[in-house]
C-alpha cells in the first residue's frame, strides 16, 4: 500500500466525476483522460513533489498518451525534461529501446519504444502515469530503463487499483511507488478507496 493516505482532492473528484465501467475500469475522462483539469493536475503534481522530495531525479518518464499531461505538469513545476515512451515506432527513429506491453483495457500487446538519446546511463528517472492496474505498463518501463542503463528512482501514479496487484509487484521488487488515490474495489460499480 502507499505510504501516505489517498490525496483528498483527487479522491473527492473521483467520487464526484468518476464513472465505473464493467470489468473493473474507472472512467476519469472528464478531468484526466480526455478533458483535463489543469488546476487539479497542478495540485497533484505538487503532491508528487512532496512525496518524492527525498529522491533525486533529473528526468521524468511517462508513456503515451494519458501519462503525458501529469508528467508535463510535474516537469514544468520542477523545470525538468519529460520523455514519453511511444506506442508506435516512428519511421524517423533509430537507436531505439523497445519492449512489449500487454494492455488489459485493450486486451492486446503493443510495442513501446524510446530513443537511447533521451534515456541513458547517468539519468535518474521518475516514472509518472495516470493508472496503475496490473502493472504491465510499469513492467515495460522497468525493462526500457534497464536496457538504457539509466536508474529508475520511483514510480508515481494518479490512481492505483490495488485489486489488480501491480502495486504489490512493484513494491515487492523494491521500487518506491506513490499513488495519489488507491482504489480497493470497483465491485458492483461502487468506488471503494483503500483509505
Ligand atoms: P497496467 O499496465 O498497470 O495493467 O494498466 C495501466 C494502463 O492501463 C494505464 O496506463 C492506463 O492507461 C490503463 N488503465 C488501467 N486501468 C484503467 C482504468 O481503470 N481506467 C482507465 N481510464 N485506464 C486504465
Amino acid at each position: 500500500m502507499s505510504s501516505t493516505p489517498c490525496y483528498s482532492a483527487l479522491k473527492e473528484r473521483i467520487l464526484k466525476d468518476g464513472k465505473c465501467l464493467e470489468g473493473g475500469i474507472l472512467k476519469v475522462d472528464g478531468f484526466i483522460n480526455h478533458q483535463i483539469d489543469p488546476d487539479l493536475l497542478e495540485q497533484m503534481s505538487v503532491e508528487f513533489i512532496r512525496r518524492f522530495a527525498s529522491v533525486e531525479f533529473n528526468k521524468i518518464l511517462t508513456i503515451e498518451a494519458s501519462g503525458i499531461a501529469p508528467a508535463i505538469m510535474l516537469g514544468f513545476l520542477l523545470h525538468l525534461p519529460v520523455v514519453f515512451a511511444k506506442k508506435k515506432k516512428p519511421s524517423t527513429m533509430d537507436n531505439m529501446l523497445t519492449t512489449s506491453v500487454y494492455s488489459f483495457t485493450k486486451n492486446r500487446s503493443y510495442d513501446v519504444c524510446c530513443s537511447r538519446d533521451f534515456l541513458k546511463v547517468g539519468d535518474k528517472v521518475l516514472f509518472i502515469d495516470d493508472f496503475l492496474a496490473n502493472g504491465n505498463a510499469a513492467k515495460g518501463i522497468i525493462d526500457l530503463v534497464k536496457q538504457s542503463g539509466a536508474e529508475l528512482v520511483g514510480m508515481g501514479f494518479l490512481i492505483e487499483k490495488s485489486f489488480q496487484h501491480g502495486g504489490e509487484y512493484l513494491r515487492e521488487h523494491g521500487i518506491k511507488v506513490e499513488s495519489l488515490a488507491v482504489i480497493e474495489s470497483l465491485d458492483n460499480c461502487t468506488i471503494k478507496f483503500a483509505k
Side-chain angles (χ1 to χ4, degrees), residues 179-192:
S179 303
L180 303 188
V182 181
I183 294 175
E184 205 169 72
S185 160
L186 290 174
D187 290 351
N188 306 314
C189 277
T190 305
I191 302 168
K192 193 171 163 219

Side-chain angles (χ1 to χ4, degrees), residues 130-148:
D130 59 343
F131 275 91
L132 171 60
N134 295 296
N136 294 311
K139 286 177 197 169
I141 289 296
I142 292 169
D143 184 37
L144 280 186
V145 175
K146 200 170 164 194
Q147 290 180 48
S148 75

Side-chain angles (χ1 to χ4, degrees), residues 167-180:
E168 226 169 88
Y169 173 90
L170 298 177
R171 292 180 182 99
E172 274 169 8
H173 283 76
I175 295 170
K176 178 175 169 58
V177 178
E178 289 291 342
S179 303
L180 303 188

